[in-house]
Amino acid sequence: MKYVSAFFAIAFGLLVLAGYFVPVLEPLQALLISWAGILLAVASLIGVFNLITVHGEKIRSREKNSGYSSLLLVSLVLTFLLGLALGPSHPVMQGVVESIILPVEASLMAILSVTLLYAAIRLLRRRVDVMSVVFLLTVLAVLAWSLALPPYGELALFGNTLRPWLTQVLALGGARGILIGVALGALTTGLRILLAFDRPYGGK
Amino acid sequence: MVELSVILLSLILLLALTFLRRKSPPPTLRPIPALTRLYRAIGLSVEDGSRLHVSLGRGGLLSGRGGASLAGLAMLRYLTERTSASDKPPVATAGDPALAVLTQDTLKAGYEAANAEDLYQPTTGRLSGPTPFSFAAGAMPVVRDENVSANVLMGDFGPEIALVTEAAERSDVPTLGGTDDLPAQAVLYAAAQEPLIGEELFAAGAYLGAGPSHAASLIVQDILRWALILFLLGGAALKMLGVI
């Protein structure tokens, strides 16, 4: 079984990769990717069952904060039934999204901004080194130089010269360097999987 | 044609170096503090009956972000094999349904490799939420309530990962984090105790002794990086001389 799954993974991986370079294989590549899309949709359903199992287990074993799990399951079932009965474009379903899900996510975003500020303050307590100081000073400089100070507005030297130089030359150069490293890492990781050195699809 | 040449060159180098390195001693690598600390966390997890939380983010496997998720899966496999004998098995969260399925499969494979199939629990691989914030909101209680001794965040995240690191900080749980997303890297640099920068995310396997192919990967990356540096410098020099 181990060899069969590895064979199929390698064969289909190579076919999809070859589709980018050999025009004759493009239709086959599109077909395989569309199959993968269908499998991903099925995976979404499995994911929902996984969510139900995990939270059901929490309720059954009366784990700490299992009340939230009950709330999640009740909301999930209600939304699912409403969606089935009314359809996703019905005003009630739109209302669920716009009145519950979006405000909750917006609240989390607000908490995130405070959390980030707090993390930045805590950074020097956790790691006192040159890079941490440079990181914090850069953040502060970019933020400060982005401000328009009344009544002067944006400070000419900082706003027009130093900030663009810092963000578009130094920071962008560093970001490109990191992205090149990430791209090379992703390339070799993909090749390892294509050669079955790593098998995220199971097997010893 | 350039893309195909790079892929073929990498493929040939990876195969050749993996074959050559099969019986070689492990390569000498520069120390990465985050991975040294992870070693200690693995030992601590087995000894004190706590568990590791591995989060693989929300990178879809059909998107360009899948590479980081695959690197996270390799790490999950390694950690599962090493900690399968502990009282509390590692728990893994993902923000993409397909990745959550692979997470369960990887956990199961890790237990099988450690000859501990009976200890595998399917609920240890979880979809914590299908959207960025629901993913973070679902991962936070895992860090807080499930006796976690270390938090390993490896995959594709956005800035919302700060919510998970904050939950870890409040529970006094150390966090090791690496991602392919630039804003999230900046967030992890500030919020995680041990951040992995850039390609260090993909180097973890080589540092943890996951096999000759991982060490070969690092060498291939170095060769390609030097080739790119020479190409960039050569291009700049030719531009200065007015040739191009």
Side-chain angles (χ1 to χ4, degrees):
Chain A
M1 192 61 198
K2 179 175 88 172
Y3 296 109
V4 174
S5 60
F7 170 77
F8 277 109
I10 293 170
F12 285 110
L14 283 175
L15 277 173
V16 172
L17 181 63
Y20 287 106
F21 305 107
V22 184
V24 183
L25 291 174
E26 266 179 39
L28 182 61
Q29 183 203 41
L31 178 73
L32 290 174
I33 290 176
S34 70
W35 284 359
I38 295 168
L39 287 176
L40 287 183
V42 177
S44 301
L45 207 59
I46 296 171
V48 172
F49 282 118
N50 172 264
L51 210 63
I52 293 170
T53 313
V54 168
H55 288 276
E57 180 66 25
K58 278 190 175 184
I59 297 166
R60 197 185 60 75
S61 56
R62 297 188 181 187
E63 274 183 34
K64 195 176 160 189
N65 294 328
S66 58
Y68 295 122
S69 297
S70 312
L71 188 64
L72 183 137
L73 289 186
V74 169
S75 311
L76 195 148
V77 171
L78 275 179
T79 316
F80 182 68
L81 291 177
L82 269 178
L84 279 184
L86 305 171
S89 52
H90 192 275
V92 173
M93 288 304 292
Q94 295 292 326
V96 168
V97 173
E98 284 167 17
S99 316
I100 301 173
I101 298 175
L102 291 183
V104 167
E105 296 226 338
S107 313
L108 280 172
M109 203 176 282
I111 294 171
L112 179 63
S113 60
V114 179
T115 305
L116 286 176
L117 179 69
Y118 190 47
I121 293 167
R122 233 176 8 211
L123 175 62
L124 279 185
R125 204 182 67 196
R126 186 185 304 128
R127 255 197 332 269
V128 185
D129 57 19
V130 179
M131 294 319 293
S132 299
V133 174
V134 170
F135 178 84
L136 275 182
L137 286 179
T138 310
V139 171
L140 288 174
V142 172
L143 283 176
W145 296 342
S146 304
L147 291 175
L149 298 173
Y152 308 106
E154 204 172 60
L155 297 175
L157 175 66
F158 296 118
N160 298 339
T161 312
L162 281 177
R163 183 168 57 87
W165 179 75
L166 196 63
T167 56
Q168 299 301 315
V169 178
L170 286 185
L172 194 63
R176 282 182 180 163
I178 288 175
L179 284 178
I180 286 172
V182 168
L184 294 178
L187 171 69
T188 52
T189 303
L191 288 177
R192 272 205 318 271
I193 288 165
L194 208 54
L195 295 169
F197 290 139
D198 287 354
R199 286 191 293 275
Y201 38 84
K204 287 189 184 183
Chain B
M1 216 51 208
V2 177
E3 299 95 330
L4 185 60
S5 311
V6 172
I7 291 171
L8 285 177
L9 175 69
S10 310
L11 190 75
I12 292 164
L13 282 172
L14 187 63
L15 273 173
L17 289 167
T18 304
F19 183 74
L20 289 172
R21 293 209 67 84
R22 273 186 316 167
K23 288 180 182 166
S24 312
T28 309
L29 304 165
R30 73 178 168 86
I32 297 179
L35 297 174
T36 312
R37 188 155 176 173
L38 179 62
Y39 253 136
R40 286 203 295 270
I42 294 170
L44 187 71
S45 153
V46 174
E47 281 169 20
D48 74 354
S50 55
R51 67 181 6 156
L52 297 174
H53 169 227
V54 184
S55 192
L56 304 180
R58 52 183 171 81
L61 294 172
L62 283 187
S63 71
R65 302 286 191 174
S69 308
L70 292 171
L73 281 171
M75 171 64 89
L76 175 64
R77 167 71 182 258
Y78 174 84
L79 293 176
T80 308
E81 281 185 38
R82 297 296 176 280
T83 59
S84 56
S86 72
D87 295 339
K88 295 261 185 183
V91 60
T93 53
D96 177 75
L99 194 57
V101 174
L102 276 181
T103 298
Q104 289 184 337
D105 201 36
T106 303
L107 281 164
K108 191 165 182 272
Y111 277 97
E112 282 171 3
N115 292 318
E117 295 97 319
D118 302 342
L119 299 174
Y120 168 66
Q121 296 167 16
T123 52
T124 49
R126 301 173 189 176
L127 174 73
S128 62
T131 62
F133 279 105
S134 66
F135 157 69
M140 285 160 69
V142 176
V143 177
R144 205 183 46 219
D145 299 336
E146 301 205 17
N147 194 17
V148 168
S149 60
N151 216 9
V152 181
L153 312 173
M154 288 185 81
D156 176 50
F157 307 99
E160 75 281 351
I161 197 61
L163 295 172
V164 182
T165 57
E166 177 61 22
E169 186 80 30
R170 282 174 184 270
S171 306
D172 205 20
V173 175
T175 298
L176 176 155
T179 178
D180 58 347
D181 182 77
L182 282 176
Q185 273 195 26
V187 168
L188 282 174
Y189 187 79
Q193 280 88 346
E194 301 293 348
L196 291 168
I197 308 293
E199 69 274 17
E200 287 176 357
L201 164 72
F202 299 97
Y207 278 78
L208 298 172
S213 67
H214 285 259
S217 281
L218 284 192
I219 301 171
V220 174
Q221 285 176 52
D222 280 345
I223 292 170
L224 293 176
R225 191 176 295 111
W226 276 110
L228 264 172
I229 290 168
L230 291 176
F231 185 75
L232 288 172
L233 288 177
L238 290 176
K239 183 90 177 170
M240 276 172 62
L241 294 171
V243 179
I244 53 173

